[in-house]
Amino acid sequence: MTVIKDRRMDILQAALHIFSKKGYHNAKIEDIAMEAGIAKGTIYQYFSSKQDLFQQMFRHGVERYGQSLQEIATNESHIRDKLLALAQSHGKFLEEHIGMSEIMPKESKLMSKEMRCWVLEQRDHAFSSLEEMIEQGIALGEVREDTDKGVAVLAIIGSLFAYYEKESRNKEMKFEEISPMPWVDFILRALQ
C-alpha cells in the first residue's frame, strides 16, 4: 500500500513540475514518466488519462491547502497565532505549487463539471474553517463582536494572496522568505 501511495505521489509531483513548466498541451506523459523515474505505462496504472492526471494533481493540491487551513483553525489557540500560521502555510504552499496556480486559469476548461463543483465545495469548506477561526477569536475577545465573518474571510483570503504576490514580485524573494508580519499586523488591526 505504501509503495502505491509513494509512486502515485511521485507521479503527482512530477506532473506538477512538468505541467507547470510546459503547460497542459505541451506536456507529454513521457515527460512526466521520465521526471518521476518510471515507465510511461506505469502512469496509466494510476491515472486513466492525461486529463485525469491533471485534475488529480490539482485535486491533491487543493486538498492539502484545505487540510492545512482546518488544522490551523483548530490547533492554534489565539487569532494572532492562527493568522501567522495561515500566512506561513500559504507561503510554503505557494512555494511548492506556484506553477499550478499559474496554469490553472489557462487550463480551467479541462476541468469536468463534477471537478468544478468539487472545487466550489472545497472553497466553501476553506471559508468555513476561516469563519470558525473568526468565531473563536470573537469568543476569546480577540476579535470585535460586530465583525462580519463573511467579509473578514474574504479580506483575509484576498489580501493574503495579494500580499504574497506583491512581495514576491517586488523583492524577487522565495515565498518562504517573505515575512508575513506586516500582513498579520494589518489583519489584526482590522479585526480588533
Side-chain angles (χ1 to χ4, degrees):
M1 184 75 146
T2 304
V3 171
I4 291 172
K5 274 189 170 184
D6 290 345
R7 182 151 301 150
R8 186 174 189 281
M9 288 304 302
D10 290 344
I11 294 168
L12 289 171
Q13 289 299 322
L16 176 62
H17 181 255
I18 297 298
F19 284 133
S20 297
K21 189 168 129 182
K22 297 186 173 192
Y24 177 82
H25 296 289
N26 293 326
K28 294 181 174 40
I29 291 295
E30 294 88 358
D31 300 331
I32 296 167
M34 186 180 295
E35 179 78 16
I38 59 173
K40 175 183 170 183
T42 304
I43 290 179
Y44 293 108
Q45 293 175 359
Y46 297 89
F47 305 96
S48 63
S49 65
K50 180 177 161 182
Q51 184 175 359
D52 178 42
L53 173 55
F54 185 79
Q55 288 186 116
Q56 294 305 314
M57 172 202 69
F58 181 71
R59 178 185 285 266
H60 175 70
V62 170
E63 286 173 343
R64 283 188 59 208
Y65 193 84
Q67 288 168 350
S68 175
L69 279 179
Q70 183 61 43
E71 288 171 13
I72 290 165
T74 57
N75 291 343
E76 301 298 330
S77 57
H78 299 285
I79 191 73
R80 181 182 187 79
D81 298 333
K82 290 176 190 286
L83 289 170
L84 181 57
L86 173 64
Q88 290 169 333
S89 176
H90 184 78
K92 183 178 183 208
F93 182 84
L94 286 176
E95 190 74 38
E96 295 171 1
H97 295 87
I98 189 64
M100 183 178 72
S101 67
E102 291 172 347
I103 61 172
M104 283 316 297
K106 295 181 257 181
E107 306 297 353
S108 63
K109 61 191 169 293
L110 296 170
M111 295 294 171
S112 66
K113 181 179 179 182
E114 293 80 19
M115 185 68 166
R116 283 192 288 271
C117 289
W118 179 84
V119 168
L120 293 176
E121 288 173 14
Q122 296 307 303
R123 183 201 61 196
D124 291 345
H125 289 305
F127 283 13
S128 293
S129 293
L130 292 174
E131 284 185 4
E132 184 179 311
M133 183 177 83
I134 300 298
E135 288 171 359
Q136 291 168 356
I138 291 170
L140 292 171
E142 299 174 329
V143 174
R144 285 190 330 267
E145 286 185 23
D146 66 343
T147 300
D148 183 315
K149 292 179 293 207
V151 171
V153 166
L154 292 174
I156 288 168
I157 290 291
S159 65
L160 185 59
F161 276 91
Y163 176 75
Y164 272 90
E165 180 182 0
K166 176 190 153 292
E167 290 296 298
S168 68
R169 290 189 196 280
N170 287 349
K171 297 179 181 163
E172 296 182 11
M173 301 171 78
K174 291 183 177 185
F175 289 105
E176 62 189 20
E177 297 172 339
I178 296 170
S179 170
M181 291 315 299
W183 177 82
V184 170
D185 290 340
F186 177 81
I187 295 297
L188 277 174
R189 283 193 301 275
L191 293 173
Q192 294 174 334

